[in-house]
Amino acid sequence: MALPEDAERLANSIMEIDKQNAIYFKLNSLQSPTMNWIGRVTGYSVRSYQEDEANITLWGIVGIGIYDSKDPKLAPREGWGTDNCQVVWNSGDWKLKDAGDGPWTPGITERAAEGFRDFLLVGAGQ
């Protein structure tokens, strides 16, 4: 999914964020069965496009937290947010070159949310 030369950097970035989240939630791993950690992309917006490169924003919802936690800061909660991604055409397919967090907006009820196009996973609805 990522360019070979960028895959390790992107994977290390994700693993560092996971490590920080595990520390925050006081867990050894986010893979703990007590942990709720799920994200769904619901829309996208193309910020720029050329024949072999595109910059897109993915918009979605993330649920994160510890099931049955008495601490409201650690209990599962949902939040809307964006990821900014740079993709390039490589070997007959789009490959991820870079990605990073965008703003935690717009909220689902904000007018700006209407600017995102519907997102459908490949194979969904079949």
Side-chain angles (χ1 to χ4, degrees):
M1 168 166 165
L3 287 170
E5 62 268 24
D6 294 307
E8 186 175 350
R9 177 182 53 81
L10 291 166
N12 288 338
S13 175
I14 291 168
M15 288 187 299
E16 182 59 33
I17 292 167
D18 284 355
K19 190 185 313 181
Q20 292 171 11
N21 280 328
I23 290 168
Y24 176 83
F25 286 102
K26 300 174 181 79
L27 297 170
N28 291 329
S29 167
L30 292 184
Q31 301 302 316
S32 168
T34 64
M35 184 70 185
N36 167 284
W37 175 232
I38 190 165
R40 293 285 186 256
V41 175
T42 56
Y44 71 96
S45 176
V46 177
R47 295 189 326 271
S48 66
Y49 175 81
Q50 298 173 7
E51 186 175 312
D52 60 350
E53 181 178 316
N55 289 291
I56 59 173
T57 297
L58 301 176
W59 178 59
I61 188 166
V62 172
I64 188 169
I66 299 175
Y67 291 110
D68 300 323
S69 177
K70 304 295 184 229
D71 183 342
K73 292 181 182 177
L74 302 180
R77 60 189 179 279
E78 297 172 339
W80 291 92
T82 60
D83 285 325
N84 295 320
C85 302
Q86 179 185 19
V87 294
V88 295
W89 188 255
N90 181 275
S91 302
D93 198 3
W94 290 102
K95 303 286 184 181
L96 185 63
K97 180 170 181 60
D98 201 11
D101 288 340
W104 283 94
T105 57
I108 186 68
T109 58
E110 292 179 47
R111 189 173 297 275
E114 296 174 8
F116 286 87
R117 296 187 179 125
D118 290 337
F119 185 86
L120 183 64
L121 294 173
V122 173
Q126 292 183 352

